[in-house]
């Protein structure tokens, strides 16, 4: 019997303690949106104490399968066939009321997007504690105390302070950790983690995954891990299920599926994974201008943010004396933990926020001293590609309107010229002209990110800040975007300030690397030197935490 057939047979699963009846059994699951069937006959099982990875590209049906298990399909989605059985009970049999009682207590869900999943007007501690209160597991005081403990468990160094903050006061990675703490609050028997670490740096990712692994080992929690990071699957999952176009195409023990894939689709996925031993994409450095000066010079940047009055009115130093340069035609990568100051540094460079002290010089101009029209002219030369392709595009705009918006805002082109330029840029980022009339909801995540890149190029900037531009994308689309960025740099001589927590991606794309920790730049150097001969202990720790270097279940 083939690996695929073995998986579909269901029945029992091999967890950390041997063959045992599954806690979760999905049999013949089919899900449709209107007339379109997006999940086609999926079978999978997860045993107590077992981690099963569900992998595949964006649109393969992974998240839809997970949401069908917990009965949280988006509007228009419906389960048309199949069973979802938890501990011998069909979850659909008791209706929505029974499902609601199971969510949080028996089934914990870590959703993918913290921007959509967190309530912007509630403090994060209250949101973590909510499941404890709903299920009667603690009184208000106990729930608050437990929320702080949970925030500490998922890697917050000041959990009491963070519990009193709102989501907008946290970085993307910190928000993701809040979602993980919320899902763990009631100690569920089954945990469904939908891309739980895609926004996290490697050290926090390891910390969170270690914690999830302890849950499966010590409490017998069953973990269904949905991920596009095949390194995470290789490290953490006993079994892996590969989905493509709504179907399971391959399944079996992780070391067999990822070590000797049989299906062409699985082989293509593995070929697209960024590797520390793979080829470099970074273009040869462009020739310097006659004066030999760098494009960007940041000198001793400091940025302080006031904390809530409940925290004593203190200030948080997010950036602490950072100095760096970005040469013309160069990619300078900033790496470090979530909350280390990477994105704040980039926002200061772009003058999207003012430094508390320090200066930024752009092409010989003191950018920190500019105001009014001179600052506006400077901003034409700096553009940004954000982390989330879902949040960075206005859902009301067509692709043509999104790409043309910078041209309209700076009044450098009329309507006809904007349409021509949008079509030209869309071709440059390898999207068909038919996409011009579409809106973001009609595009995949990778297509949206290409549109965001096209929009960033509309004003022909000298510097593009890429803030985690591929962390939300699956590996095959990620590879396409990295190839595109490298090609654009070769053709246009662009400079990139590239922010990422994925060191394998950084090794492919960057000429030089700066390592940040607690707001400080602790090490800088060429990409080769940083990866081959790191000088700082923290850099060594980051490199050691890269996923894909062990077999699932091995102790660290």
């Amino acid at each position: 019997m083939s690996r695929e057939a073995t998986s579909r047979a269901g029945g029992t699963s091999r967890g950390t303690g041997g063959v045992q009846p599954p806690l979760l059994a999905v049999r013949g699951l089919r899900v449709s949106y209107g007339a379109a069937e997006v999940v086609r006959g999926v079978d999978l099982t997860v045993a107590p104490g077992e981690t099963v990875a569900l992998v595949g590209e964006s649109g393969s049906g992974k998240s839809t399968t997970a949401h069908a298990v917990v009965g949280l399909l988006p509007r228009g989605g419906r389960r048309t066939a199949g069973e979802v059985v938890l501990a011998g009970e069909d979850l659909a049999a008791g209706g929505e009321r029974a499902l609601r009682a199971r969510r949080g207590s028996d089934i914990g869900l870590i959703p993918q997007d913290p921007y959509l999943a967190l309530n912007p007007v509630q403090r994060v501690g209250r949101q973590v504690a909510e499941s404890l209160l709903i299920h009667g597991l603690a009184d208000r005081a106990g729930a608050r105390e437990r929320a702080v403990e949970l925030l500490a468990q998922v890697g917050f160094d000041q959990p009491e302070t963070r519990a009193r903050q709102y989501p907008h006061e946290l970085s993307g990675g910190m928000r993701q950790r809040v979602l993980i703490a919320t899902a763990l609050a009631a100690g569920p028997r089954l945990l469904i983690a939908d891309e739980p670490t895609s926004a996290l740096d490697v050290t926090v990712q390891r910390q969170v995954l270690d914690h999830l692994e302890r849950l499966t080992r010590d409490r017998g929690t069953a973990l269904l891990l949905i991920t596009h990071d095949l390194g995470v699957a290789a490290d953490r999952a006993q079994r892996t299920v590969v989905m493509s176009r709504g179907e399971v195409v391959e399944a079996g023990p992780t070391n067999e599926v990822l070590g000797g894939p049989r299906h062409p689709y699985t082989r293509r996925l593995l070929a697209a994974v960024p590797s520390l031993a793979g080829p470099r994409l970074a273009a040869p450095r462009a020739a310097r201008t006659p004066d030999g000066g760098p494009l960007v010079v940041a000198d001793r940047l400091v940025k302080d943010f006031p904390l809530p009055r409940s925290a004593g009115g203190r200030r948080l130093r997010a950036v602490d004396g950072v100095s760096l340069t970005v040469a013309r035609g160069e990619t300078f990568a900033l790496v470090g933990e979530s909350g280390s100051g990477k994105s704040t540094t980039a926002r200061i460079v772009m003058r999207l926020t003012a430094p508390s002290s320090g200066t930024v010089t752009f092409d010989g101009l003191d950018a920190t001293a500019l105001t009014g029209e001179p600052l506006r002219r400077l901003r034409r030369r700096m553009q940004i590609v954000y982390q989330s392709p879902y949040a960075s595009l206005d859902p009301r705009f067509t692709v043509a309107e999104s790409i043309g918006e910078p041209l309209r805002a700076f009044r450098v082109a009329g309507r006809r010229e904007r349409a021509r330029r949008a079509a030209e840029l869309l071709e440059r980022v390898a999207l068909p002209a038919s996409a011009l009339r579409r809106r973001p909801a009609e595009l995949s995540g990778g297509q949206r990110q290409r549109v965001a890149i096209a929009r960033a190029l509309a004003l022909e900037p000298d510097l593009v800040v890429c803030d985690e531009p591929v962390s939300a994308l699956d590996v095959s689309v990620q590879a396409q975007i990295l190839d595109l960025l490298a090609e654009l740099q070769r053709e246009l001589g662009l400079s990139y300030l590239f922010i990422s927590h994925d060191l394998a991606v950084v090794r492919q794309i960057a000429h030089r690397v700066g390592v940040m920790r607690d707001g400080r730049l602790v090490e800088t150097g060429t990409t080769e030197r940083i990866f081959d001969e790191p000088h700082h202990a923290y850099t060594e720790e980051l490199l050691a935490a890269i996923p894909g270097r062990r077999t699932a279940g091995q102790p660290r």
Side-chain angles (χ1 to χ4, degrees):
M1 183 181 285
S2 69
R3 283 205 303 254
E4 295 91 328
T6 300
S7 172
R8 292 191 178 102
T12 61
S13 302
R14 182 172 297 276
T16 56
V19 176
Q20 55 186 308
L23 177 68
L24 173 70
V26 178
R27 305 186 184 110
L29 179 66
R30 293 180 177 272
V31 177
S32 295
Y33 288 91
E37 189 173 51
V38 296
V39 172
R40 303 180 181 95
V42 165
D43 292 352
L44 63 87
T45 61
V46 191
E50 181 184 36
T51 297
V52 174
L54 189 58
V55 305
E57 291 179 292
S58 174
S60 63
K62 309 186 301 294
S63 294
T64 299
T65 298
H67 291 145
V69 168
V70 293
L72 291 175
L73 288 169
R75 182 175 298 178
R78 58 192 179 91
R79 188 174 81 178
T80 57
E83 293 181 321
V84 177
V85 178
L86 182 72
E89 178 185 343
D90 187 347
L91 291 179
E96 174 60 25
R97 186 171 183 177
L99 259 176
R100 192 179 298 122
R102 291 292 194 103
R103 295 185 199 122
S105 58
D106 290 329
I107 308 173
L109 174 66
I110 304 172
Q112 181 174 358
D113 194 339
Y115 294 92
L116 299 178
L118 292 174
N119 187 332
V121 298
Q122 280 190 1
R123 300 183 193 274
V124 298
R126 179 177 177 184
Q127 296 187 60
V128 173
E130 186 174 19
S131 180
L132 297 169
L133 295 171
I134 287 174
H135 294 288
L137 300 176
D139 58 20
R140 291 194 176 276
R144 283 195 298 269
E145 184 177 333
R146 178 61 180 150
V148 172
E149 293 174 1
L150 287 161
L151 291 173
Q153 286 177 7
V154 297
F156 283 103
D157 57 351
Q158 301 177 50
E160 299 89 351
T161 298
R162 300 304 186 186
R164 292 191 291 267
Q165 291 183 290
Y166 292 93
H168 74 271
E169 297 177 283
L170 305 179
S171 70
M174 289 178 176
R175 294 188 190 109
Q176 190 72 4
R177 281 184 263 173
V178 172
L179 291 184
I180 294 168
T182 302
L184 297 176
R189 290 193 289 170
L190 170 67
L191 189 61
I192 300 175
D194 190 358
E195 300 284 4
T197 60
S198 62
L200 304 180
D201 59 85
V202 289
T203 52
V204 177
Q205 179 185 79
R206 181 173 65 179
Q207 182 178 355
V208 167
L209 291 173
D210 282 349
H211 183 64
L212 295 179
E213 191 171 280
R214 284 194 296 272
L215 283 177
T216 62
R217 183 181 64 241
D218 299 341
R219 300 186 188 177
T221 304
L223 176 61
L224 180 60
L225 177 63
I226 300 165
T227 182
H228 64 252
D229 191 329
L230 299 186
V232 168
D235 276 359
R236 304 291 176 166
Q238 285 78 46
R239 290 189 298 117
T240 294
V241 178
V242 184
M243 288 188 69
S244 176
R245 298 183 179 181
E247 297 181 329
V248 173
V249 298
E250 187 161 6
T254 297
N255 60 346
E256 294 181 15
V257 172
L258 301 185
R262 298 178 183 177
H263 197 278
Y265 176 75
T266 311
R267 291 197 289 268
R268 287 200 303 272
L269 277 184
L270 287 166
V273 176
S275 169
L276 293 179
R280 297 282 308 282
L281 296 175
R285 286 279 300 278
R288 288 174 176 260
T289 54
D291 65 3
L295 180 66
V296 178
V297 178
D299 184 33
R300 292 172 292 182
L301 296 179
V302 173
K303 182 62 179 180
D304 294 325
F305 289 103
L307 290 173
R309 283 178 292 179
S310 57
R314 295 179 290 110
R315 301 181 74 82
L316 173 68
R317 178 150 292 184
V319 177
D320 190 3
V322 168
S323 297
L324 60 86
T325 62
V326 183
R328 302 168 198 275
E330 175 185 55
T331 299
F332 183 91
L334 276 179
V335 303
E337 294 182 335
S338 172
S340 64
K342 306 185 302 292
S343 295
T344 302
T345 298
R347 289 178 62 81
I348 294 172
V349 167
M350 294 193 69
R351 279 298 310 272
L352 295 176
T353 189
S356 303
S357 64
T359 60
V360 174
T361 303
F362 188 94
D363 199 14
L365 294 171
D366 184 355
T368 46
L370 296 179
T371 58
E373 186 58 29
L375 176 59
R376 181 175 171 79
R377 288 197 300 270
L378 179 67
R379 280 184 170 152
R380 282 189 57 179
R381 303 178 62 186
M382 301 183 287
Q383 295 294 306
I384 188 166
V385 178
Y386 289 100
Q387 177 177 359
S388 173
Y390 300 89
S392 63
L393 298 176
D394 192 318
R396 302 167 299 174
F397 283 8
T398 64
V399 166
E401 289 170 333
S402 290
I403 296 175
E405 176 64 14
L407 299 170
R408 187 196 64 78
F410 280 91
R411 300 176 184 173
V412 296
R415 180 176 298 177
R416 186 170 298 177
E417 174 62 17
R418 291 201 300 270
R420 185 198 67 78
R421 180 77 171 135
E424 178 184 287
L425 287 166
L426 209 64
E427 183 179 358
R428 184 175 285 280
V429 299
L431 284 176
S434 60
L436 286 167
R437 297 183 297 275
R438 299 178 188 171
R439 288 181 167 77
E442 302 173 79
L443 304 176
S444 70
Q447 289 173 326
R448 287 177 182 142
Q449 199 66 307
R450 287 174 183 266
V451 172
I453 292 169
R455 181 180 59 183
L457 297 177
L459 292 168
E460 300 180 344
D462 298 300
L463 175 71
V464 178
V465 173
C466 300
D467 191 355
E468 299 280 8
V470 296
S471 66
L473 306 177
D474 59 77
V475 290
S476 57
V477 178
Q478 185 181 88
Q480 295 167 15
I481 296 298
L482 292 175
D483 284 338
L484 173 63
L485 291 173
E487 180 184 345
L488 291 170
Q489 186 173 62
R490 286 191 294 268
E491 292 180 1
L492 304 176
L494 294 169
S495 297
Y496 294 135
L497 179 56
F498 193 93
I499 298 167
S500 180
H501 62 259
D502 190 329
L503 296 183
V505 166
V506 166
R507 183 192 170 276
Q508 283 191 306
I509 199 75
H511 297 98
R512 290 191 303 125
V513 178
V515 182
M516 290 194 69
R517 186 182 194 186
D518 297 332
R520 297 177 181 174
L521 200 57
V522 298
E523 184 168 6
T524 60
T526 65
T527 303
E528 292 83 358
R529 206 275 295 161
I530 291 291
F531 279 77
D532 296 340
E533 300 176 17
H535 293 169
H536 198 279
Y538 177 66
T539 309
E540 294 178 351
E541 183 183 348
L542 287 179
L543 292 170
I546 295 172
R549 297 186 170 190
R550 67 170 193 146
T551 301
Q554 286 183 350
R556 285 201 175 271

